[in-house]
Structures are given as structure tokens and as C-alpha cells.
Amino acid sequence: MNFNDWMENFDHSGRSMPTIMIVDDSNVIRNRIARGSESIELEVVATAGNGKDAVQLYDLLRPDLVTMDLTMPQMDGLECIQKIIDINEDANILVISALADKATGIRALEYGARGFIYKPFSDEELFSALRELLED
């Protein structure tokens, strides 16, 4: 099913569009991802500046997509990915990180993330990655 078909058939608890939670300790990055998400018709249901808050919000809201930074206070992204996957093994997590360490990126994917893009990223890279997660 492609993105447009998915959007037409989407019915999740009365929501009109797919939902996203944005997790990053940078307010600038959270706002940028939020603006980009809304432009491709994703409803931002939550943002979090640390992994601890993200896990609690995910458990409460169960968004369709999650963007995840790896370097954050209180709980890093790798631990957060593990905890979200413990809640829902089908969670759609896109890591967005400045970490250029390939091993860390691979570990994030092994823990359950479904995609990875590096900061800085273009809007098109973000849109493409989010759409790809929705189509899986």
C-alpha cells in the first residue's frame, strides 16, 4: 500500500491523519521536524526533549511514527528505542542524529529503529524517510 492509499484508508481512533512524536533535546530540531511533518500531513501529537518523557508519552499516545535523537539527557536514544519497542514491537522509529558513528547507527537499527538519517538533513530527506516508514 502506498502512502496516498494509506492516507485515504487511515482510521486510527478517529484520527484523520497519521500521527508522529518528535524526540530531540534541541528545540530548534523539534520545531523543524514538526513543521516538515505537518507539511506532509502528519499530526504532531507529542514532542519530548529526553528519552524518559518520550517513553511515557509513547505509552500514552501510541503515535504511528517516532523521530528519535540519540544523544539526550535523562535517557539516551538507544535506551529509549529499546523501551518503546518493549511497549510495541511494531513501533515505527526513525533515528535522526548527528552521530556519525556507524556502529551506533547499526545498534539503533538492531534495537528496533526502522530508519536513520543524519543531521543536518534536508526537508526532502526527512519527507522521504517518513513516507517510507508509513509505506512499510
Side-chain angles (χ1 to χ4, degrees):
M1 176 179 289
N2 70 34
F3 180 78
N4 291 328
D5 291 341
W6 192 89
M7 288 289 291
E8 288 177 9
N9 295 314
F10 183 77
D11 180 22
H12 187 67
S13 305
R15 297 177 187 154
S16 61
M17 62 181 78
T19 57
I20 187 169
M21 177 174 73
I22 301 162
V23 184
D24 199 296
D25 61 336
S26 166
N27 191 45
V28 171
I29 297 294
R30 285 195 311 270
N31 289 337
R32 179 166 177 224
I33 296 170
R35 282 190 305 274
S37 298
E38 290 168 355
S39 74
I40 60 168
E41 298 183 343
L42 293 173
E43 179 185 0
V44 179
V45 293
T47 63
N50 65 69
K52 182 180 175 189
D53 291 347
V55 171
Q56 293 172 339
L57 287 166
Y58 184 87
D59 194 30
L60 178 68
L61 300 169
R62 303 292 173 104
D64 300 302
L65 297 170
V66 177
T67 63
M68 180 71 61
D69 188 16
L70 293 181
T71 307
M72 298 180 293
Q74 296 187 32
M75 179 189 300
D76 70 22
L78 290 175
E79 183 179 355
C80 187
I81 290 167
Q82 290 176 305
K83 291 186 180 292
I84 288 174
I85 293 297
D86 285 346
I87 294 168
N88 176 12
E89 67 183 22
D90 296 323
N92 278 324
I93 302 171
L94 173 66
V95 173
I96 301 177
S97 180
L99 287 179
D101 177 8
K102 196 171 192 173
T104 303
I106 291 169
R107 198 167 328 129
L109 295 171
E110 289 173 347
Y111 288 173
R114 303 247 167 109
F116 194 105
I117 61 175
Y118 290 101
K119 296 176 188 172
F121 54 89
S122 69
D123 288 344
E124 188 50 45
E125 287 172 312
L126 175 65
F127 300 161
S128 176
L130 292 173
R131 284 187 179 115
E132 189 173 313
L133 286 181
L134 283 173
E135 290 174 356
D136 286 344

